[in-house]
Amino acid sequence: MSFTKSNNPTVDNLINAYNAFDILGLMNDDLRKDSALINVVKKFNSTFKGDAWVLNNYLPFDTCKDALLLAEKGDLDKANLTLIKGVTKGIELFMLHLPSAEEFNDRSAILENAHDLYLQNNHTAAIPLLLIAMDGISNDIANLGLFAQNSDLKVWDSITQYEETFTYIQENFLTKSRTKTNLEEIYLPYRNGILHGRDVNFSNSHVSAKCWNILFTLRTWYIDQKNELYKKKQLENQSDQKNKNEIFEHYLTAFKERSNEANFTDDFGVINVTTKFFDSFGNKKGGEKLSH
């Protein structure tokens, strides 16, 4: 994969770099720890999209990491419960950011009411409000609602669309037709089934938390879309950006030159770069600090 042609260069460039370091024998404990973090980003969406979860700026990263570990051990039920708990933490930050985006803030009364109902475990009332807010917000920011089958959710360099997961959520849950009345309990946010009265037994914390997480994702997608041109320009302006082969050659040459020296240590500046990225990602800034 090209370093510059990826639709998710922030993640893919780091994955490629860590692979290069591993091949060249440059991995140390710090880099292995950071590589494990980017591995969460790489695996989370593909692991959980079938359960209607997607990475975003508000679902706590530690929660995502813990849930992924549980899922890899085969305990998807406990992984889902872990993510639900993480949503409760994420709502607080999400609500704090409402005033910084008019399209979201216009629904503050709806969302505050939904938040109160969610904390009261009144999911029967909270879920329709969350779906209503989603519809209105997405229409305002994209002129085409999340619930329209031909909506275009493409965005460059966004964790929400790593492996096109947000599109998957939209196509498989938000716009999926539910034409028969279903009395069995559902745990997925089938918008049409819920609002059209087909999925009768939808009132639970799973559906409610996933609706909140889709709102988190919509907000993250909105931020990334607004900053898309800026981030592309930043990438283009990085004159020292190298393609994959050049990076391999650069580190291979440096490694050969240094490996024969006494007291050989990592002197490539890699740790500083990766630490900066992961510190900012852990603070929910998604790399360089961008406007909300």
Side-chain angles (χ1 to χ4, degrees), residues 149-219:
Q149 292 185 350
N150 57 339
S151 296
D152 184 1
L153 297 177
K154 291 179 182 177
V155 63
W156 184 81
D157 202 26
S158 173
I159 56 174
T160 67
Q161 280 290 42
Y162 196 73
E163 298 194 357
E164 298 186 349
T165 303
F166 196 17
T167 297
Y168 178 92
I169 300 296
Q170 180 210 29
E171 292 176 349
N172 288 274
F173 305 113
L174 301 182
T175 64
K176 190 175 182 66
S177 178
R178 306 284 284 180
T179 58
K180 295 182 179 180
T181 298
N182 172 39
L183 300 181
E184 294 182 4
E185 188 170 19
I186 62 169
Y187 299 95
L188 297 167
Y190 292 118
R191 180 263 185 185
N192 290 336
I194 293 168
L195 293 185
H196 296 164
R198 292 297 196 176
D199 286 301
V200 177
N201 198 358
F202 64 85
S203 180
N204 57 63
S205 61
H206 289 259
V207 176
S208 200
K210 289 169 185 179
C211 285
W212 276 110
N213 196 61
I214 292 170
L215 275 168
F216 297 170
T217 303
L218 181 61
R219 180 60 189 268

Side-chain angles (χ1 to χ4, degrees), residues 58-60 85-95 216:
Y58 296 94
L59 190 62
K85 291 179 181 178
V87 164
T88 302
K89 298 177 183 178
I91 292 173
E92 183 177 349
L93 181 61
F94 176 81
M95 297 300 286
F216 297 170

Side-chain angles (χ1 to χ4, degrees), residues 245-259:
N245 290 333
E246 289 173 332
I247 286 179
F248 265 88
E249 292 172 2
H250 170 75
Y251 283 109
L252 181 59
T253 300
F255 179 74
K256 286 179 177 178
E257 291 175 351
R258 294 296 307 280
S259 61

Side-chain angles (χ1 to χ4, degrees), residues 30-222:
D30 289 329
L31 287 177
R32 286 190 183 91
K33 186 183 297 183
D34 290 343
S35 179
L37 294 179
I38 201 66
N39 198 46
V40 174
V41 180
K42 179 182 177 182
K43 291 183 176 181
F44 184 91
N45 283 353
S46 60
T47 300
F48 289 105
K49 66 181 183 181
D51 285 318
W53 294 106
V54 56
L55 280 175
N56 55 71
N57 288 355
Y58 296 94
L59 190 62
F61 190 77
D62 285 345
T63 296
C64 297
K65 180 177 67 175
D66 293 343
L68 184 60
L69 288 173
L70 288 167
E72 289 179 336
K73 292 177 181 178
D75 199 343
L76 275 172
D77 289 341
K78 195 169 182 180
N80 270 279
L81 292 175
T82 298
L83 291 170
I84 290 170
K85 291 179 181 178
V87 164
T88 302
K89 298 177 183 178
I91 292 173
E92 183 177 349
L93 181 61
F94 176 81
M95 297 300 286
L96 284 174
H97 285 171
L98 286 182
S100 60
E102 181 181 359
E103 297 86 350
F104 288 79
N105 198 46
D106 285 346
R107 280 90 184 172
S108 60
I110 295 174
L111 292 170
E112 287 167 3
N113 194 8
H115 186 200
D116 290 340
L117 293 166
Y118 181 79
L119 294 177
Q120 296 166 18
N121 292 319
N122 187 349
H123 302 300
T124 304
I127 291 168
L129 289 179
L130 294 171
L131 292 171
I132 289 168
M134 270 184 234
D135 200 6
I137 292 167
S138 60
N139 269 291
D140 279 359
I141 64 178
N143 295 320
L144 196 60
L146 276 176
F147 309 129
Q149 292 185 350
N150 57 339
S151 296
D152 184 1
L153 297 177
K154 291 179 182 177
V155 63
W156 184 81
D157 202 26
S158 173
I159 56 174
T160 67
Q161 280 290 42
Y162 196 73
E163 298 194 357
E164 298 186 349
T165 303
F166 196 17
T167 297
Y168 178 92
I169 300 296
Q170 180 210 29
E171 292 176 349
N172 288 274
F173 305 113
L174 301 182
T175 64
K176 190 175 182 66
S177 178
R178 306 284 284 180
T179 58
K180 295 182 179 180
T181 298
N182 172 39
L183 300 181
E184 294 182 4
E185 188 170 19
I186 62 169
Y187 299 95
L188 297 167
Y190 292 118
R191 180 263 185 185
N192 290 336
I194 293 168
L195 293 185
H196 296 164
R198 292 297 196 176
D199 286 301
V200 177
N201 198 358
F202 64 85
S203 180
N204 57 63
S205 61
H206 289 259
V207 176
S208 200
K210 289 169 185 179
C211 285
W212 276 110
N213 196 61
I214 292 170
L215 275 168
F216 297 170
T217 303
L218 181 61
R219 180 60 189 268
T220 305
W221 177 88
Y222 170 72

